[in-house]
Amino acid sequence: MSEATAQPPLYLIDASLYVFRAWHSMPDEFQDADGWPTNAVHGFARFLLELLEKERPRHIAVAFDEALDSCFRNKLYPAYKANRDPAPEELRRQFAHCKALCAALGLTVLAHGEYEADDLIGSALHAARPRGFRGVIVSADKDLSQLLMAADEQWDFARGLRWGMAGVKARHGVEARQIADYLALCGDAIDNIPGITGIGSKSAAVLLSHFDSLDQLLARIDEVPFLRLRGAAGMALRLREQREHALLWRQLTTIALDAPLGEVEQDFLRASADAQILAALADALRFGPMTRRRLLEAAGVA
């Protein structure tokens, strides 16, 4: 038996990714009993039910982003994610419905006003590792690849792609443990992190291949001009000028492992579902008969 199969999996769902994806891709023909749109809830419910039916997880946590503009990273760098439009009320309401749906199905829900879903996932996995769990991170987000260790895997559910720690380099050109340093160097436009001027993804990968870490790179900047890398002398100059920025960017790109998780189920064990609340949600959200049946089956109360 391999190390991975010997360790029970802890499924960690990056819920916000799938809520946003449903919000943008599902038609806006769905409405709740009060006339508010529910397209994101319908899309998220389909994703969640498919995952539960396929994997039947015993240990699972679903992480939501509540720190949309109150994250600790905003205090470090006020422009963090400032390129994103605030979520409209129609979407915020649906996030609340999605959380309620997860809770009614007996799934551990993780959310915090100062920590992002990535931090909650990282902290949950960090807490579960000493108890023998391996992580199955359900998300396409490259930031989360930094959490992968030998027995873990990341799963891009929509594309049906899974990869482990060893597969990160083929995808991004750097090791899993280098992802935060990599993003600090080349930046992350999605999160409005500039990176170091003139250093792109390929240059960042070459630098980390040679120096192994951002700390080593900054300690040995004098060696950079001698690398076989186009524009190496200019990179060395900018790394000297933007040293403090590089360290700040890494604070932003590093996933926290000490976020408060609150009162959660021991080992994130799936709890009993609440059939009454599920039925009430199905009524309020106007779920169709097939979705209702799948919800009850997933809850084990069909």
Side-chain angles (χ1 to χ4, degrees):
M1 185 179 284
S2 70
E3 180 186 2
T5 55
Q7 295 178 255
L10 168 59
Y11 289 81
L12 296 157
I13 317 299
D14 181 10
S16 299
L17 175 76
Y18 296 97
V19 177
F20 277 114
R21 183 170 287 172
W23 167 255
H24 289 295
S25 64
M26 292 288 288
D28 59 3
E29 63 193 34
F30 302 101
Q31 293 181 333
D32 65 16
D34 297 320
W36 287 86
T38 57
N39 59 328
V41 191
H42 280 255
F44 178 74
R46 290 181 188 181
F47 148 73
L48 187 63
L49 285 167
E50 191 177 336
L51 184 141
L52 295 176
E53 290 162 358
K54 191 171 187 175
E55 300 293 299
R56 300 192 180 280
R58 293 190 66 234
H59 306 272
I60 180 170
V62 188
F64 287 85
D65 273 322
E66 283 194 346
L68 296 175
D69 51 13
S70 57
C71 176
F72 73 91
R73 293 178 179 84
N74 293 97
K75 296 172 185 172
L76 293 169
Y77 180 58
Y80 179 69
K81 291 190 176 180
N83 54 334
R84 301 189 187 189
D85 293 329
E89 181 60 25
E90 295 90 336
L91 179 57
R92 286 180 180 269
R93 285 173 63 94
Q94 295 194 70
F95 264 100
H97 292 318
C98 291
K99 286 169 64 179
L101 189 64
C102 291
L105 285 166
L107 315 180
T108 299
V109 173
L110 302 176
H112 195 281
E114 294 179 12
Y115 290 88
E116 297 177 78
D118 289 6
D119 303 311
L120 300 169
I121 287 171
S123 300
L125 183 54
H126 186 67
R129 284 197 205 281
R131 299 199 290 273
F133 287 91
R134 66 184 181 92
V136 178
I137 300 171
V138 183
S139 176
D141 190 344
K142 65 179 177 295
D143 300 28
L144 285 160
S145 289
Q146 68 186 268
L147 298 173
L148 298 178
M149 294 179 69
D152 304 322
E153 64 179 330
Q154 188 168 346
W155 184 8
D156 180 347
F157 189 86
R159 294 185 177 89
L161 299 174
R162 297 191 188 220
W163 60 92
M165 181 179 75
V168 175
K169 188 161 188 178
R171 298 178 68 83
H172 305 298
V174 293
E175 306 289 347
R177 59 184 172 77
Q178 296 174 317
I179 286 286
D181 288 0
Y182 167 78
L183 293 172
L185 286 169
C186 66
D188 188 349
I190 293 173
D191 290 344
N192 207 35
I193 299 172
I196 302 303
T197 309
I199 295 183
S201 56
K202 290 183 180 178
S203 301
V206 170
L207 289 169
L208 289 171
S209 175
H210 186 84
F211 294 101
D212 191 62
S213 70
L214 178 62
D215 291 325
Q216 281 294 314
L217 169 60
L218 294 177
R220 296 160 56 191
I221 289 178
D222 290 346
E223 299 174 32
V224 172
F226 300 100
L227 296 180
R228 286 187 171 180
L229 185 60
R230 187 174 180 179
M235 286 180 201
L237 179 64
R238 288 188 291 274
L239 281 164
R240 282 198 187 88
E241 293 173 345
Q242 300 174 37
R243 176 191 178 91
E244 295 308 313
H245 280 144
L247 296 172
L248 173 59
W249 305 151
R250 187 174 60 183
Q251 280 186 278
L252 302 180
T253 59
T254 299
I255 292 175
L257 302 179
D258 58 354
L261 300 175
E263 296 294 322
V264 297
E265 288 290 332
Q266 180 68 22
D267 291 337
F268 308 98
L269 188 65
R270 190 172 170 186
S272 299
D274 190 316
Q276 275 191 307
I277 293 180
L278 272 179
L281 280 169
D283 286 341
L285 298 169
R286 291 181 170 174
F287 282 145
M290 182 176 290
T291 302
R292 288 170 186 259
R293 177 179 57 76
R294 292 176 71 193
L295 278 171
L296 291 174
E297 287 176 355
V301 292

